[in-house]
């Protein structure tokens, strides 16, 4: 039995979408359902100047967000929207792009972008426990997914991924392995590899490739790095960023399009069918990644369409999961 295998353009102009908050299923358009978590907020602020990119939520109703500005990690209560910085960053040269919390809610695995760093932080103390420098000049460590045996990280500028082994109780190993991407993988001149997830059957990894076929998904064998294009019909993901898999439903954040494309995958992750598109012109301000709790999806607004300043406002918005 195979073991289960449990973003991002930083610059670019925005193509705005008109209308109200919409869920667009195949064959029609309907307004998205309202709050399904009682009085819990569907939108909450982050600190001014924070510059969020990644989000992760564990078994408890708390969101963790990383800062591009200085590498801080902010924790917010989903029940109240209030929060605070739990881990101080190392400064502008050490951002946090993607991040994931482990199931025991003890460790945070952090992608360091252009710093080429992979970091592991203690959730309670906020202290960095381990730091690894990977890749070579031009490397951009972007997103991360946790599986039973490893943490996997994407490199947006290089055709490769990184594997940090995890012990029996989830403790990180002492060495990161580089896995070259081959097969159908097509490396572009700019951001190419982005979000990462697992296939529904746990047999492989799914990666966004913003170049191949006009933008699509790749199914990657984690043992060999061989990538094969996933058949997703006419759907294109040129702005594909964060991935979120719930069962066989895959949410793909298309940040510059201010939209989330929703696909239904087969078990092996070789094919996918578009079932909905989520848009919210009033609240989406270039969302980048997604995390789930209860029956909601939470997305940070990165606001890549504005020049960031210490006073720029940022927030997180919630939408209902697609039920189909």
């Amino acid at each position: 039995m195979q073991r289960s295998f449990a973003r991002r353009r930083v610059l670019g102009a925005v193509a705005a979408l008109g209308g109200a908050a919409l869920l667009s299923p195949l064959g029609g358009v309907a307004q998205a359902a309202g709050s399904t978590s009682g009085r819990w907020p569907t939108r909450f602020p982050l600190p001014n100047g924070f510059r969020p990119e990644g989000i992760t939520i564990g078994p408890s109703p708390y969101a963790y967000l990383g800062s591009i500005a200085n590498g801080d990690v902010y924790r917010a209560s989903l029940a109240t929207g209030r929060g605070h910085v739990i881990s101080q960053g190392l400064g502008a040269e050490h951002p946090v792009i993607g991040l994931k919390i482990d199931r025991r809610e003890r460790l945070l695995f952090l992608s360091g972008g252009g710093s080429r760093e992979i970091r592991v932080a203690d959730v309670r103390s906020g202290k960095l426990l381990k730091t690894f420098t990977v890749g070579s000049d031009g490397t951009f460590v972007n997103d991360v997914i946790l599986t039973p045996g490893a943490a996997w990280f994407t490199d947006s500028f290089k055709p490769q991924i990184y594997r940090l082994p995890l012990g029996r109780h989830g403790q990180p190993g002492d060495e990161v392995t580089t896995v070259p991407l081959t097969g159908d993988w097509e490396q572009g001149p700019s951001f190419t590899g982005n979000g990462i997830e697992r296939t529904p059957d746990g047999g492989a990894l799914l990666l966004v490739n913003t170049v191949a076929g006009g933008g699509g998904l790749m199914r990657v064998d984690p043992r060999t790095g061989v990538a094969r294009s996933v058949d997703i019909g006419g759907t294109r993901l040129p702005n594909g960023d964060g991935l979120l898999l719930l069962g066989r439903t895959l949410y793909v954040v298309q940040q510059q399009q201010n939209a989330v494309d929703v696909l239904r995958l087969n078990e092996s992750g070789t094919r996918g069918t578009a079932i909905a598109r989520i848009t919210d012109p009033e609240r989406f301000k270039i969302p980048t990644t997604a995390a789930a709790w209860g029956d909601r999806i939470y997305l940070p607004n990165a606001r890549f369409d504005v020049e960031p300043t210490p006073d720029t406002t940022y927030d997180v918005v919630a939408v209902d999961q697609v039920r189909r």
Side-chain angles (χ1 to χ4, degrees):
M1 183 176 179
Q2 293 175 308
R3 301 184 72 185
S4 292
F5 286 90
R7 12 164 157 55
R8 169 140 39 261
R9 299 185 189 274
V10 179
L11 300 172
V14 181
L17 300 174
L22 299 176
L23 174 67
S24 304
L26 294 182
V29 176
Q31 186 168 341
S35 171
T36 56
S37 300
R39 297 182 179 179
W40 288 20
T42 58
R43 186 175 193 170
F44 55 84
L46 298 174
N48 287 0
F50 187 78
R51 298 181 63 192
E53 221 283 357
I55 185 172
T56 184
I57 300 173
S60 300
Y62 294 92
Y64 298 80
L65 299 109
S67 170
I68 298 175
N70 59 12
D72 284 354
V73 177
Y74 183 88
R75 172 175 133 152
S77 165
L78 301 181
T80 66
R82 294 190 292 270
H84 62 281
V85 171
I86 64 161
S87 180
Q88 296 286 339
L90 300 176
E93 300 301 315
H94 305 272
V96 171
I97 308 300
L99 73 168
K100 285 293 184 293
I101 191 169
D102 69 341
R103 291 181 178 274
R104 296 178 177 86
E105 299 182 306
R106 298 182 305 181
L107 300 175
L108 283 164
F109 294 79
L110 312 175
S111 300
S115 72
R116 298 170 45 198
E117 293 170 347
I118 288 172
R119 306 179 210 117
V120 183
D122 181 87
V123 172
R124 290 189 177 182
S125 69
K127 294 181 179 179
L128 290 179
L129 304 178
K130 292 192 174 186
T131 300
F132 307 89
T133 301
V134 299
S136 57
D137 288 347
T139 283
F140 191 93
V141 186
N142 198 325
D143 210 347
V144 53
I145 189 69
L146 303 183
T147 71
W152 296 87
F153 299 80
T154 59
D155 187 331
S156 290
F157 287 141
K158 308 284 184 178
Q160 57 200 26
I161 55 177
Y162 305 105
R163 180 183 185 272
L164 173 60
L166 302 179
R168 182 178 179 182
H169 301 293
Q171 67 274 23
D174 296 321
E175 185 176 356
V176 175
T177 302
T178 299
V179 180
L181 297 172
T182 60
D184 294 338
W185 189 266
E186 181 181 345
Q187 187 68 30
S190 183
F191 271 68
T192 301
N194 212 318
I196 184 169
E197 254 292 358
R198 58 176 176 82
T199 56
D201 67 1
L205 300 171
L206 295 170
L207 273 68
V208 169
N209 185 304
T210 62
V211 174
L217 284 177
M218 293 282 173
R219 183 184 187 275
V220 176
D221 185 326
R223 298 165 298 176
T224 66
V226 174
R228 297 300 179 205
S229 296
V230 178
D231 180 2
I232 54 174
T235 301
R236 296 292 178 264
L237 308 174
N239 307 124
D241 201 326
L243 298 179
L244 172 65
L245 182 73
L246 300 177
R248 288 172 47 206
T249 302
L250 183 69
Y251 295 80
V252 186
V253 185
Q254 294 243 54
Q255 42 135 302
Q256 294 184 42
Q257 298 181 36
N258 280 323
V260 181
D261 282 308
V262 188
L263 308 173
R264 180 62 51 82
L265 302 178
N266 62 357
E267 285 294 328
S268 60
T270 59
R271 297 191 310 276
T273 302
I275 60 172
R277 166 169 266 224
I278 303 170
T279 63
D280 193 332
E282 294 299 320
R283 299 189 305 152
F284 282 6
K285 307 297 180 184
I286 310 190
T288 45
T289 51
W293 203 88
D295 53 7
R296 285 182 176 177
I297 307 294
Y298 290 84
L299 307 103
N301 278 316
R303 302 197 66 190
F304 289 154
D305 58 327
V306 300
E307 187 68 26
T309 74
D311 296 321
T312 303
T313 58
Y314 296 94
D315 62 5
V316 176
V317 298
V319 296
D320 289 347
Q321 293 182 25
V322 173
R323 299 296 185 186
R324 179 169 179 156

